[in-house]
């Protein structure tokens, strides 16, 4: 079992409440009322993390294997929009055009999606929305904890970002290297290396939004996956700054051995339309095509979450949360 968060400043451990086109067939909605996002994890005024009792009750009912797809990234860059596309809905997870982040903590869609893996295993797919990292009203430690918890829970982790992969983008993913300082393997009682953590890692998808670069290397077209792998290669040269950036690249490669990259062009040209994207159905064909490819990949590649030899169910996912 992994331990994710250290002891709080008061000396107490942060604790939790105990106990595509087409759209895949939706499961029963186990929460009261219509399908909607429900709060899974939140932070109180003392900086301690808790699980919401409604989410606890929902997960206790999911007895079959579960797969978890989460979307993480900077605030105000359309994470919730992507999740709504996976749901096949124009609304669902909150989308807004203001500067304030819509999502605080981690939120779970109340209706699991029933899926069948290639080996015939039936499982419930859970969709998870995360608070934006680097939001103006949060600390670096808090960002690391939210990011780390989403990675730990997921069988597929989508990192949503505007633009291409440059040094600034890699710096923002330095949370990955920070994560290795927070995760402990209880059996050993010590810190684990990035490569050891990689065996528990989800499929990692780096989603590049409003992408305009031509993917060409040595006068030949390359795939988004090639572009990602090129960006993660160690850079030549000496100096502490270069070494630090190469450490980030190595951590990403080691923590996410199964990784992919998708690019999406700007969906619309009109700025005012972009602010109400979830209400429109006139997106550019290239954007729709890319979105369809991403959706197809998500539903085909997501598998039930495993920790070692244990296939997670709703109740065992709660155990994992309670020990994080």
């Amino acid at each position: 079992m992994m331990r994710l968060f250290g002891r709080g400043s008061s000396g107490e451990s942060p604790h939790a409440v105990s106990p595509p086109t087409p759209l895949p067939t939706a499961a029963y909605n186990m929460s009261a009322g219509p399908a909607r996002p429900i709060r899974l994890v939140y932070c109180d005024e003392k900086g301690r993390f808790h699980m919401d009792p409604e989410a606890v009750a929902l997960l206790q009912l999911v007895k079959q294997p579960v797969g978890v797809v989460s979307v993480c990234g900077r605030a105000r860059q359309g994470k919730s929009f992507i999740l709504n596309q996976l749901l096949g809905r124009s609304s669902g997870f909150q989308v807004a055009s203001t500067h304030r982040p819509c999502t605080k903590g981690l939120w779970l869609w109340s209706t699991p999606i029933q899926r069948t893996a290639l080996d015939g295993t039936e499982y419930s797919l859970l969709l998870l929305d995360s608070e934006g990292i680097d939001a103006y009203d949060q600390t670096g430690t808090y960002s690391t904890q939210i990011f780390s918890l989403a990675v730990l829970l997921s069988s597929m982790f989508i990192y949503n970002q505007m633009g291409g992969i440059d040094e600034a983008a890699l710096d923002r993913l330095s949370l990955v290297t920070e994560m290795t300082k927070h995760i402990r393997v209880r059996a050993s009682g010590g810190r684990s290396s990035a490569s050891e953590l990689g065996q528990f890692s989800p499929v990692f998808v780096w989603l590049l939004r409003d992408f305009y670069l031509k993917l060409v290397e040595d006068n030949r077209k390359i795939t988004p996956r090639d572009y990602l792998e090129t960006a993660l290669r160690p850079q030549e040269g000496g100096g502490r700054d270069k070494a630090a950036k190469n450490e980030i690249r190595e951590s990403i490669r080691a923590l996410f051995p199964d990784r992919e990259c998708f690019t999406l062009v700007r969906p619309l040209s009109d700025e005012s339309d972009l602010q109400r994207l979830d209400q429109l159905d006139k997106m550019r064909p290239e954007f729709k095509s890319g979105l369809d490819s991403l959706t197809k990949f998500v539903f085909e590649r997501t598998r039930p979450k495993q920790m070692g030899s244990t296939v997670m169910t709703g109740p065992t996912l709660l155990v994992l949360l309670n020990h994080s």
Side-chain angles (χ1 to χ4, degrees):
M1 185 64 69
M2 291 184 173
R3 182 161 185 80
L4 187 63
F5 305 126
R7 299 183 70 83
S9 57
S10 64
E12 297 179 354
S13 297
H15 58 278
V17 177
S18 57
T21 314
L23 177 69
T25 303
Y28 37 88
N29 176 18
M30 294 178 295
S31 65
R36 69 194 192 284
I38 59 175
R39 187 173 61 174
L40 175 61
V41 174
Y42 66 96
C43 188
D44 65 21
E45 65 279 359
K46 294 182 179 180
R48 293 177 297 188
F49 285 83
H50 303 268
M51 277 193 293
D52 191 284
E54 183 181 13
V56 171
L58 185 152
L59 289 174
Q60 285 174 337
L61 295 175
V62 187
K63 305 298 186 183
Q64 66 182 160
V66 296
V68 181
V69 173
S70 65
V71 181
C72 189
R74 299 184 72 188
R76 310 304 317 127
Q77 295 198 345
K79 301 183 305 299
S80 299
F81 173 80
I82 292 298
L83 282 162
N84 289 340
Q85 296 305 302
L86 295 176
L87 284 170
R89 302 169 61 110
S90 59
S91 62
F93 288 98
Q94 187 176 2
V95 177
S97 58
T98 67
H99 70 284
R100 297 187 63 85
C102 296
T103 306
K104 304 293 289 184
L106 296 176
W107 288 71
L108 176 70
W109 189 247
S110 65
T111 304
I113 298 171
Q114 293 301 99
R115 298 291 297 168
T116 302
L118 292 178
D119 63 1
T121 302
E122 293 186 354
Y123 70 97
S124 293
L125 177 60
L126 307 175
L127 297 183
L128 198 64
D129 196 7
S130 67
E131 181 172 353
I133 60 174
D134 297 334
Y136 67 89
D137 58 347
Q138 63 181 225
T139 66
T141 299
Y142 177 82
S143 292
T144 301
Q145 291 172 325
I146 288 293
F147 187 99
S148 302
L149 188 55
V151 169
L152 181 63
L153 294 175
S154 300
S155 43
M156 180 175 289
F157 180 82
I158 302 174
Y159 181 69
N160 181 78
Q161 176 201 306
M162 290 292 183
I165 303 174
D166 55 17
E167 295 298 339
L170 291 170
D171 283 342
R172 285 191 291 270
L173 265 183
S174 63
L175 286 175
V176 175
T177 60
E178 286 298 309
M179 184 171 67
T180 64
K181 301 175 184 177
H182 288 264
I183 296 179
R184 293 176 178 272
V185 176
R186 283 193 163 189
S188 64
R191 298 192 186 283
S192 9
S193 68
S195 59
E196 288 172 327
L197 293 171
Q199 64 183 306
F200 301 105
S201 295
V203 177
F204 175 70
V205 177
W206 201 329
L207 175 60
L208 303 174
R209 307 281 294 278
D210 291 6
F211 189 80
Y212 62 88
L213 298 175
K214 289 186 177 180
L215 293 179
V216 177
E217 184 177 353
D218 297 329
N219 295 317
R220 66 177 181 87
K221 292 183 67 174
I222 61 173
T223 66
R225 170 65 184 272
D226 294 332
Y227 174 69
L228 171 61
E229 294 306 313
T230 298
L232 294 180
R233 288 177 191 160
Q235 302 299 297
E236 295 181 358
R240 295 176 62 182
D241 184 62
K242 187 75 69 175
K245 286 181 168 53
N246 282 337
E247 181 183 354
I248 294 172
R249 290 179 168 90
E250 172 57 31
S251 291
I252 294 170
R253 293 196 307 271
L255 281 167
F256 302 115
D258 190 354
R259 52 188 179 265
E260 188 55 85
C261 182
F262 282 85
T263 61
L264 294 176
V265 300
R266 194 177 179 89
L268 298 163
S269 300
D270 193 304
E271 216 37 74
S272 60
D273 283 344
L274 284 172
Q275 294 179 358
R276 54 192 184 94
L277 184 60
D278 58 312
Q279 304 170 26
L280 301 175
D281 190 31
K282 56 177 183 179
M283 294 174 283
R284 292 169 61 188
E286 305 97 311
F287 179 82
K288 285 188 173 182
S289 175
L291 203 55
D292 288 345
S293 295
L294 172 66
T295 301
K296 183 174 184 289
F297 178 86
V298 170
F299 286 117
E300 287 184 352
R301 287 293 311 278
T302 301
R303 297 290 183 270
K305 175 70 177 179
Q306 282 193 238
M307 296 292 287
S309 61
T310 302
V311 178
M312 308 302 286
T313 63
T316 54
L317 205 63
L318 288 173
V319 173
L320 177 61
L321 276 165
N322 273 310
H323 287 82
S324 297

